[in-house]
Amino acid sequence: MAFSSHTFGFAIVLLCLFLSSFSVVISRSSRSSSQMSPGFYRRSCPRLKRIVRNGMQQAVAKEPRLGASVLRLFFHDCFVNGCDGSILLDDTPSFTGEKNAFPNRNSARGFEVIDKIKTDVEAACPGTVSCADILALATRVGVRQLGGPSWRLRLGRRDARTASQSDANRDLPSPRSNLSTLITSFGKKGLTARDMTALSGAHTIGKSQCRAFRTHIYNETNIDPSFAQARRANCPFTGGDSNLANLDRFTPNRFDNGYYKNLVVDKGLLHSDQELFNGGSQDSLVRRYSNRKNLFFFHFSVAMKKMSNIGPLTGTNGEIRTNCRLVN
């Protein structure tokens, strides 16, 4: 088909407008990234990392499960409108947040740990450090304290003034998700299938409630029969929804690669766990992680770095909350 000079000229104008808009988007993204750095609070709150480290060490020493709980809080925060501290907001008569979304209701925990650290940080550096950054730092400390890897963490996030229960219900992956749903869900957040499989390794620590794994242990066949029978002892077919089981039967309080060793022998606790090793695209990676802890640690660190940079509020967006549970 031949184009007239008028049509060609119009196409050139459209192309220029598109490139101009694209450049603006890139520029804005670059400015947002440049506003965050590992040393963001070096001058304004030099004791920050020490305060967070002391707070998490005290909490995890008292209850090792809190390392997993805070890690889960961070994951659930970042997956809903970015890493903005929105999950920390309490409901009020005029505001419905994320805490009572189905994936969080009666299961999200560790809020008191973040509250305590925030109080200590406010005493040292009033109105300076966001709850979103405290949660990000506390997560890294908790993983490290339980024997896991560290990762480079940029700081400078600001706190959201709102939260969305409906977005939490929509965006947070279900323990009943199949592999393709998991890959799609993580992909929407800019995370690859490898990132998803590595981040799922967070289940090498912590516990899960019976209601999340009942269907897997009673109705599914891709599970070791003796393992399913053992889990049924504490998770009846009806009732006992909040009864707990370790996500990693080997070392539930140690961040290692035991989770993947469970999967290769069909002893994943959740349906979504065993989907990673069930004849699909992630089988070979799971097997590699089960044999090479250092490879898992490296990929986990890369994925955590990427996840921690999902949709941060920076600059004049959001606020620095003085109380993590309430907007200022």
Side-chain angles (χ1 to χ4, degrees):
M1 179 182 293
F3 289 94
S4 69
S5 59
H6 174 74
T7 302
F8 181 75
F10 183 67
I12 291 296
V13 169
L14 286 179
L15 178 60
C16 290
L17 287 172
F18 171 77
L19 291 175
S20 176
S21 297
F22 186 73
S23 297
V24 169
V25 171
I26 293 298
S27 177
R28 286 175 181 171
S29 176
S30 298
R31 285 201 299 270
S32 177
S33 298
S34 68
Q35 292 171 346
M36 296 176 62
S37 71
F40 187 85
Y41 299 106
R42 185 173 292 121
R43 292 184 179 179
S44 60
C45 194
R47 294 176 52 214
L48 171 63
K49 293 181 181 179
R50 185 187 310 167
I51 293 170
V52 175
R53 183 171 61 251
N54 290 343
M56 278 303 293
Q57 287 177 343
Q58 291 171 15
V60 172
K62 185 177 181 180
E63 184 187 353
R65 184 186 170 200
L66 283 170
S69 299
V70 169
L71 172 56
R72 185 170 184 261
L73 276 186
F74 186 53
F75 175 83
H76 282 210
D77 184 41
C78 292
F79 253 61
V80 183
N81 300 319
C83 308
D84 60 4
S86 57
I87 195 174
L88 304 174
L89 289 169
D90 283 343
D91 289 354
T92 70
S94 60
F95 172 82
T96 301
E98 298 165 18
K99 285 185 176 180
N100 285 308
F102 184 75
N104 296 326
R105 189 184 310 142
N106 300 320
S107 65
R109 59 197 303 274
F111 298 105
E112 295 80 5
V113 177
I114 304 303
D115 290 341
K116 173 62 167 61
I117 295 172
K118 175 63 172 176
T119 298
D120 293 343
V121 170
E122 282 295 306
C125 318
T128 302
V129 183
S130 68
C131 299
D133 273 343
I134 288 174
L135 179 56
L137 282 166
T139 297
R140 185 175 66 173
V141 172
V143 169
R144 192 75 187 95
Q145 189 175 355
L146 294 176
S150 186
W151 53 92
R152 189 173 185 268
L153 184 62
R154 294 190 302 168
L155 302 171
R157 297 166 190 79
R158 288 170 63 85
D159 296 320
R161 294 189 177 100
T162 187
S164 175
Q165 186 175 111
S166 60
D167 287 351
N169 283 326
R170 182 194 66 207
D171 290 349
L172 290 172
S174 165
R176 298 169 184 83
S177 297
N178 61 30
L179 181 59
S180 62
T181 299
L182 289 170
I183 292 173
T184 298
S185 177
F186 279 71
K188 288 178 179 178
K189 305 301 177 183
L191 299 166
T192 66
R194 191 191 83 176
D195 295 329
M196 180 274 294
T197 299
L199 288 171
S200 296
H203 285 178
T204 196
I205 53 176
K207 300 175 183 290
S208 179
Q209 295 182 351
C210 168
R211 65 184 173 95
F213 60 85
R214 178 183 283 119
T215 299
H216 185 49
I217 65 173
Y218 280 99
N219 300 338
E220 298 178 359
T221 58
N222 60 334
I223 184 171
D224 178 84
S226 62
F227 176 70
Q229 187 62 39
R231 295 286 69 78
R232 291 172 189 166
N234 193 44
C235 182
F237 191 75
T238 58
D241 284 2
S242 61
N243 292 354
L244 297 172
N246 294 328
L247 285 161
D248 176 2
R249 65 195 179 95
F250 291 110
T251 50
N253 294 326
R254 183 74 180 170
F255 199 100
D256 55 23
N257 62 337
Y259 167 79
Y260 301 102
K261 294 180 179 180
N262 293 330
L263 299 186
V264 298
V265 292
D266 291 338
K267 295 182 180 180
L269 184 64
L270 305 179
H271 172 87
S272 56
D273 289 333
Q274 198 58 57
E275 278 289 290
L276 302 184
F277 191 84
N278 193 33
S281 62
Q282 302 305 293
D283 281 16
S284 61
L285 184 58
V286 167
R287 193 175 291 281
R288 289 168 68 197
Y289 287 165
S290 73
N291 292 319
R292 298 174 60 188
K293 184 179 76 171
N294 289 342
L295 179 65
F296 160 51
F297 276 19
F298 173 65
H299 287 176
F300 181 84
S301 297
V302 170
M304 284 297 293
K305 180 180 175 182
K306 289 174 66 175
M307 190 182 79
S308 70
N309 290 328
I310 297 175
L313 297 174
T314 59
T316 58
N317 295 315
E319 65 182 14
I320 304 297
R321 286 188 227 133
T322 56
N323 181 335
C324 291
R325 293 173 181 265
L326 303 169
V327 297
N328 293 342

